[in-house]
Amino acid sequence: EAKNAVTEQESHVESAQKAADAAKQALETAKQEFDNLGGAQALQDAESKKTTAQKNVEQAEKDKDQTQQNLEAAQKELENVQNQLNIAQKALQTSTDAKTAADNELKDAQDQKANVEKEQKDTDDRKIECEKQINTLNQSLKEYEEKIITEQNSLYSLEQKIRTINGMLQEEWITQQEREYLEAQLADTQASRDASKNQIDAYMKEYNKLTEEKKSWEKNLETVNVNLADLKERQADADKRLLSAETAAKQAQAAFEEAQKKYDGLTTQKSDQETQVNECQTQLNDRENALQTKQDELNAIESQLKILKQAEDAVKSAESEKKDKEAELSNKKQDLLDAQAAADEAANTYQSVKQKLEE
């Protein structure tokens, strides 16, 4: 039984020795793998890199958040500028309409003044023509008056001559030859008198015609003078309207230029703000990419650190396992020694009992 116990303990020791050897080999393998990864220095470096990478990620997140805030602020400012631009555009349209209306009013006022001036010139020309015609007619009337007076004087002389001849024909002392001569003179004088009367009638007819024509021209002149008085008022109204229209047009032009300037300024500001928004968006994309890069770097470091820690844990586990197996081997060896001691004692007892039996 003691020998069997020793044999059994020897088997246990052998098994424990194999387990201890295997644990030692596992430890060496784990240490080799850990060393291949860089060992404790690599683990320390990875821990340091992780700390730095975390700080980089945190800073990248701050940069991204700040850039996001900048983008939101730029977008808000762009919206504000767009609202101002919309208002400015409406104001520009209003000022454009007002300028168009003022320009139209100015053109109408200029046309009115031009028309009044044209009417003034035409009326002045008509007045000059009327006065010219009246003067011409007055001259003609004066000429006809002179002709009529001359012809009336001639008629008076002829009638006086006729009376003289008739008186002489009443005398008894004249001879027949003288009578015939006086009668012939009387007939010629009467013919001249009738011709003079006809001439006076013709002159009077033409004189009356010229008088009527003069009256017509004088009436036209009166009408022209009335028109000139009306044109004077219309000229004043046209000047007043033109002055008011010119002032309004200047004010509308100034308002339009101011609105255009403001609109152009806001358009430029919008373009600049859009550029800023695009720049912020580009910067945000860059910051996001940078954050992702830093995060990837941190993930890679954490992954490497995890491998290193796993390797370190494997070493520690292998060391613990080796210690456990060595302790177990030591216990098994002690059990073997105890079993051998028991076997030796049993053998001694057996020899002693056998000797006593033989004796």
Side-chain angles (χ1 to χ4, degrees):
E1 289 176 0
K3 285 181 179 180
N4 289 337
V6 170
T7 301
E8 184 179 357
Q9 289 302 325
E10 286 177 347
S11 175
H12 288 168
V13 169
E14 184 179 356
S15 297
Q17 185 65 54
K18 289 181 180 180
D21 293 340
K24 181 179 180 182
Q25 183 61 43
L27 175 59
E28 292 176 356
T29 301
K31 285 184 176 180
Q32 184 62 45
E33 291 178 353
F34 186 53
D35 291 339
N36 290 338
L37 294 173
Q41 185 61 46
L43 181 60
Q44 183 179 355
D45 293 342
E47 291 284 359
S48 177
K49 288 181 180 179
K50 178 183 177 182
T51 301
T52 302
Q54 286 175 332
K55 291 181 179 179
N56 291 338
V57 169
E58 291 173 358
Q59 184 61 46
E61 288 177 344
K62 290 180 180 179
D63 293 341
K64 172 183 169 294
D65 293 341
Q66 182 61 49
T67 305
Q68 181 68 42
Q69 293 176 4
N70 294 341
L71 175 61
E72 292 173 356
Q75 289 172 335
K76 186 175 181 180
E77 180 62 22
L78 176 60
E79 183 179 356
N80 181 43
V81 172
Q82 182 62 56
N83 292 334
Q84 294 182 37
L85 184 61
N86 292 338
I87 296 173
Q89 188 174 18
K90 291 180 181 179
L92 178 60
Q93 184 61 48
T94 300
S95 64
T96 301
D97 295 339
K99 178 179 178 297
T100 301
D103 290 342
N104 291 337
E105 172 62 17
L106 177 60
K107 185 177 184 304
D108 291 342
Q110 291 171 337
D111 291 343
Q112 180 184 0
K113 181 173 176 59
N115 291 334
V116 170
E117 289 177 344
K118 184 177 183 300
E119 288 185 38
Q120 179 75 42
K121 183 179 182 304
D122 293 342
T123 305
D124 289 339
D125 292 341
R126 285 198 299 274
K127 181 178 180 179
I128 293 172
E129 180 64 21
C130 288
E131 291 175 342
K132 179 181 178 182
Q133 291 295 333
I134 290 172
N135 290 332
T136 301
L137 289 170
N138 283 331
Q139 184 66 31
S140 297
L141 286 171
K142 184 177 180 181
E143 291 175 357
Y144 273 98
E145 285 175 353
E146 292 175 353
K147 288 180 181 180
I148 291 171
I149 291 173
T150 300
E151 197 63 41
Q152 285 177 341
N153 291 332
S154 177
L155 176 62
Y156 178 78
S157 297
L158 290 171
E159 286 179 344
Q160 188 177 18
K161 184 177 180 181
I162 289 172
R163 283 193 297 270
T164 300
I165 293 173
N166 284 329
M168 291 177 67
L169 287 174
Q170 296 297 325
E171 297 294 333
E172 295 180 356
W173 51 266
I174 61 173
T175 64
Q176 183 62 34
Q177 184 177 3
E178 290 175 338
R179 180 176 295 280
E180 290 177 353
Y181 174 77
L182 289 172
E183 287 178 350
Q185 288 291 319
L186 179 62
D188 291 338
T189 303
Q190 288 176 337
S192 297
R193 183 198 62 185
D194 293 339
S196 179
K197 286 182 177 181
N198 291 334
Q199 186 64 50
I200 289 173
D201 290 340
Y203 284 158
M204 287 300 298
K205 183 178 181 180
E206 186 64 25
Y207 182 84
N208 292 334
K209 180 181 177 182
L210 292 173
T211 301
E212 290 300 322
E213 186 177 354
K214 176 186 174 184
K215 289 180 180 179
S216 176
W217 280 106
E218 287 175 341
K219 185 176 181 179
N220 289 339
L221 181 60
E222 291 177 359
T223 302
V224 167
N225 288 330
V226 171
N227 290 339
L228 285 174
D230 178 65
L231 281 171
K232 186 176 181 180
E233 295 181 358
R234 290 172 59 191
Q235 182 73 34
D237 293 339
D239 290 339
K240 183 178 179 181
R241 181 185 180 187
L242 180 59
L243 179 61
S244 176
E246 287 175 343
T247 301
K250 289 179 180 179
Q251 293 174 346
Q253 180 66 31
F256 169 76
E257 290 175 356
E258 181 64 24
Q260 185 68 56
K261 181 179 179 182
K262 185 174 182 179
Y263 178 78
D264 293 341
L266 286 170
T267 300
T268 301
Q269 186 177 352
K270 178 187 175 183
S271 178
D272 294 341
Q273 195 62 37
E274 286 177 339
T275 300
Q276 185 175 354
V277 168
N278 292 333
E279 289 176 352
C280 287
Q281 184 63 60
T282 301
Q283 188 177 15
L284 178 61
N285 293 338
D286 293 341
R287 293 292 169 82
E288 287 177 343
N289 292 334
L291 175 59
Q292 185 61 49
T293 299
K294 298 299 182 183
Q295 188 63 55
D296 291 342
E297 291 175 357
L298 177 60
N299 292 338
I301 292 171
E302 287 179 339
S303 177
Q304 182 64 28
L305 183 60
K306 181 179 179 181
I307 294 172
L308 286 168
K309 285 186 175 182
Q310 287 176 346
E312 184 185 37
D313 291 340
V315 171
K316 292 179 179 179
S317 177
E319 287 178 344
S320 178
E321 181 68 19
K322 176 176 175 292
K323 289 179 181 179
D324 291 341
K325 295 302 180 182
E326 287 178 345
E328 185 178 353
L329 176 58
S330 178
N331 291 333
K332 293 301 182 181
K333 286 182 176 181
Q334 185 61 47
D335 291 341
L336 176 58
L337 292 175
D338 292 340
Q340 287 176 339
D344 290 341
E345 184 179 354
N348 292 333
T349 302
Y350 171 72
Q351 291 296 331
S352 176
V353 171
K354 183 178 180 183
Q355 184 176 1
K356 287 179 179 181
L357 179 60
E358 289 178 349
E359 290 177 356

